[in-house]
Amino acid sequence: MTTEDTATDDMTTGNTAPGRPMAPHASREEQVLQRIERARRRKPRVKEDRITLAHGAGGKATQTLVEALFVEAFRHPALEALDDGAVLSLDGGRLVFTTDSHVVSPLFFPGGDIGELAVNGTVNDLAVCGARPLYLSAGFVLEEGFPVDDLRRIVASMADAAARADVSIVTGDTKVVERGKADGCFITTSGIGVLDGAGARAELGASAVRAGDAVLVSGPIGDHGVTVMLARGELDLEADVTSDTAALHGLTAALLGAVPGGVRMMRDATRGGVATVLNEIAGASGLGVVLDEEAVPVRPAVEGACELLGIEPLYVACEGRFVAVVDGARADAALGALRGHPLGADAAIVGTVRDDPPGLVLLRTAFGGTRIVDMLVGDPLPRIC
C-alpha cells in the first residue's frame, strides 16, 4: 500500500500544478515524489455521497472527512492542530481535553473488553499530549435487549481500569435504541488532564520535530488489531496473542521526565497503526521519516497472522503503544527510560527524521531497498476499537 495508489489520477495525466512545472529531466522517482507532493497540497474534499467504513478507519478517508467537514465547520486553533487532545489555557494553567468513541466488535476479547478500552483509550489520548489524566465522562448507547449481565461486566471493567489509571469517571449519559438499531453497546469517553511537571515544560507538536530526531515505538505493534480480528472467529485462525490495551500515562511521564525538553511529539498508534501516525507526523512537520523495517518490533504470532491476512503490521491498530519523536542526541536516554518501565520493556528506536523527502515516510526494507509507506487507505480491519 503506497502513496502511488492514491495519486493515480495525477500520475496518469502527467499534469503539473500551476506555477510548479515538472523538471524536464527529473528521474522517474523524482516525478513520482513531485506528483505525490502536489496531491497532498490539494484542499481535502469528500468525494463520496455516503459514509463508508473507511471514514472511520483512521486513515486517509478519515483524515479527509475530518479536515474537509469538521475542521472546516468548527474552526478553532486547538482543533486545527489535529492532535489527540486540545490544549486549553485556563487561569494561568493549561488543560488537555479529549474525546473518543468505541465500537469494537466483539465486545469481549483476549486481554480486554470495550469498557477497559474506553478508559485506556481516553487516558492515552491525554497522556500523549503530555497531560496527567484526571477526570473522564462515559456515554453509553445501548441496544434494546442487550444483556444486563454483560453491561455489569463492562462497567466493572471500566471501574477497574479507571482505578488503575488513577482517574475518576465523574459524569455520563445513557441512551437506548430499538433492537436492530445498534450492535449491543457503544461507549464514548471524554477526558480532562492537566499539564504539570515535565508535561508542563514540554512543547509537544509537529512544529517541534527536527531533522535528525529519532523515532521510537514503545513496544511490539499490532497485538490489539490481530487479537480482535481473530476473536471474531471468522478467519479459522488461532494465535497466541492478546490485546495490548493499557493506560500509558505512567510510561509517557517516565519518558518526559528522563529527557526534559527532548521529546518533540507523541501519538498513540490506534486506528491506522504506526504507518498512519508517522504519515501524520511527516505531513504536519513537512519533514521525511525513514523507517528501518528490521528495527520495528512485531511478535511472531502477529507477523504470521498478518501474512495470512495479507495486511502489514504497520497498519494494524495498537491500544497500548505509542510513537515518540525525540532529539536524536538523546535517543538512547529516551529508549532507556521506556525500557525501564514494564509497559515499555520492548521499546525500540525504529527510524529517523530527515529533511528529505518532505512529508513522506520511507521504509528501508530488510532487503536493502526503500519504498514509500502511505497512510492507511480503505478499512481492512473495521471496528477494531
Side-chain angles (χ1 to χ4, degrees), residues 231-321:
R232 291 174 184 166
E234 302 168 346
L235 302 173
D236 197 24
L237 293 175
E238 293 183 2
D240 184 18
V241 60
T242 61
S243 171
D244 54 29
T245 180
L248 297 172
H249 60 300
L251 188 58
T252 57
L255 176 61
L256 290 169
V259 286
V263 182
R264 315 292 200 199
M265 189 172 182
M266 298 186 289
R267 187 157 287 185
D268 57 341
T270 56
R271 295 173 303 162
V274 169
T276 296
V277 168
L278 294 178
N279 271 277
E280 292 171 348
I281 293 172
S285 67
L287 298 170
V289 174
V290 179
L291 201 57
D292 184 351
E293 184 176 36
E294 291 189 302
V296 179
V298 185
R299 299 189 197 281
V302 171
E303 192 165 23
C306 287
E307 286 180 3
L308 290 171
L309 295 170
I311 55 179
E312 282 198 45
L314 285 172
Y315 293 100
V316 180
C318 312
E319 286 292 337
R321 309 284 185 243

Side-chain angles (χ1 to χ4, degrees), residues 71 74-83 85-88:
V71 173
F74 306 144
R75 285 288 175 193
H76 189 282
L79 176 64
E80 291 167 19
L82 295 176
D83 285 329
V87 178
L88 306 169

Side-chain angles (χ1 to χ4, degrees), residues 1-382:
M1 187 176 300
T2 68
T3 301
E4 291 94 318
D5 298 331
T6 60
T8 303
D9 55 342
D10 207 15
M11 293 172 62
T12 53
T13 61
N15 293 333
T16 57
R20 292 178 61 83
M22 185 177 296
H25 304 297
S27 68
R28 172 65 178 167
E29 181 180 355
E30 290 170 335
Q31 292 178 35
V32 170
L33 294 176
Q34 289 170 13
R35 287 166 179 161
I36 292 171
E37 181 184 359
R38 287 197 303 280
R40 289 188 166 184
R41 286 173 182 267
R42 296 192 190 112
K43 185 177 181 179
R45 182 168 63 89
V46 179
K47 300 177 181 177
E48 299 82 4
D49 294 328
R50 296 182 183 276
I51 294 298
T52 69
L53 284 174
H55 288 116
K60 193 178 291 291
T62 303
Q63 183 185 51
T64 299
L65 182 70
V66 169
E67 294 184 7
L69 191 63
F70 301 133
V71 173
E72 189 70 23
F74 306 144
R75 285 288 175 193
H76 189 282
L79 176 64
E80 291 167 19
L82 295 176
D83 285 329
D84 287 307
V87 178
L88 306 169
S89 298
L90 182 67
D91 294 336
R94 289 190 300 163
L95 301 174
V96 177
F97 180 41
T98 189
T99 191
D100 205 354
S101 295
H102 300 270
V103 297
V104 65
S105 176
L107 299 176
F108 304 95
F109 46 82
D113 56 58
I114 189 173
E116 183 176 358
L117 207 62
V119 171
N120 290 342
T122 297
V123 165
N124 293 344
D125 283 344
L126 296 170
V128 295
C129 291
R132 179 168 57 89
L134 295 175
Y135 301 106
L136 304 186
S137 71
F140 296 85
V141 176
L142 305 173
E143 181 183 13
E144 179 187 20
F146 186 67
V148 173
D149 281 349
D150 284 353
L151 184 57
R152 284 198 180 97
R153 184 178 168 191
I154 290 168
V155 170
S157 179
M158 293 180 73
D160 290 343
R164 288 195 299 272
D166 197 23
V167 296
S168 299
I169 299 174
V170 294
T171 188
D173 186 40
T174 304
K175 296 289 190 300
V176 178
V177 298
E178 298 94 331
R179 193 184 302 269
K181 300 296 185 183
D183 191 10
C185 175
F186 300 151
I187 302 175
T188 295
T189 46
S190 300
I192 292 177
V194 62
L195 287 170
D196 58 6
R201 295 186 291 275
E203 293 296 335
L204 303 175
S207 62
V209 176
R210 300 284 184 271
D213 287 346
V215 179
L216 294 84
V217 294
S218 64
I221 65 173
D223 290 9
H224 175 76
V226 166
T227 297
V228 172
M229 286 298 295
L230 298 184
R232 291 174 184 166
E234 302 168 346
L235 302 173
D236 197 24
L237 293 175
E238 293 183 2
D240 184 18
V241 60
T242 61
S243 171
D244 54 29
T245 180
L248 297 172
H249 60 300
L251 188 58
T252 57
L255 176 61
L256 290 169
V259 286
V263 182
R264 315 292 200 199
M265 189 172 182
M266 298 186 289
R267 187 157 287 185
D268 57 341
T270 56
R271 295 173 303 162
V274 169
T276 296
V277 168
L278 294 178
N279 271 277
E280 292 171 348
I281 293 172
S285 67
L287 298 170
V289 174
V290 179
L291 201 57
D292 184 351
E293 184 176 36
E294 291 189 302
V296 179
V298 185
R299 299 189 197 281
V302 171
E303 192 165 23
C306 287
E307 286 180 3
L308 290 171
L309 295 170
I311 55 179
E312 282 198 45
L314 285 172
Y315 293 100
V316 180
C318 312
E319 286 292 337
R321 309 284 185 243
F322 70 92
V323 174
V325 180
V326 304
D327 181 346
R330 305 168 76 180
D332 289 339
L335 182 63
L338 292 176
R339 288 183 171 176
H341 190 283
L343 293 177
D346 296 316
I349 299 172
V350 298
T352 56
V353 178
R354 297 184 178 181
D355 287 318
D356 190 62
L360 294 180
V361 179
L362 297 182
L363 180 71
R364 186 184 300 114
T365 70
F367 300 105
T370 58
R371 63 178 175 85
I372 295 172
V373 177
D374 197 10
M375 187 173 285
L376 177 68
V377 176
D379 189 8
L381 301 172

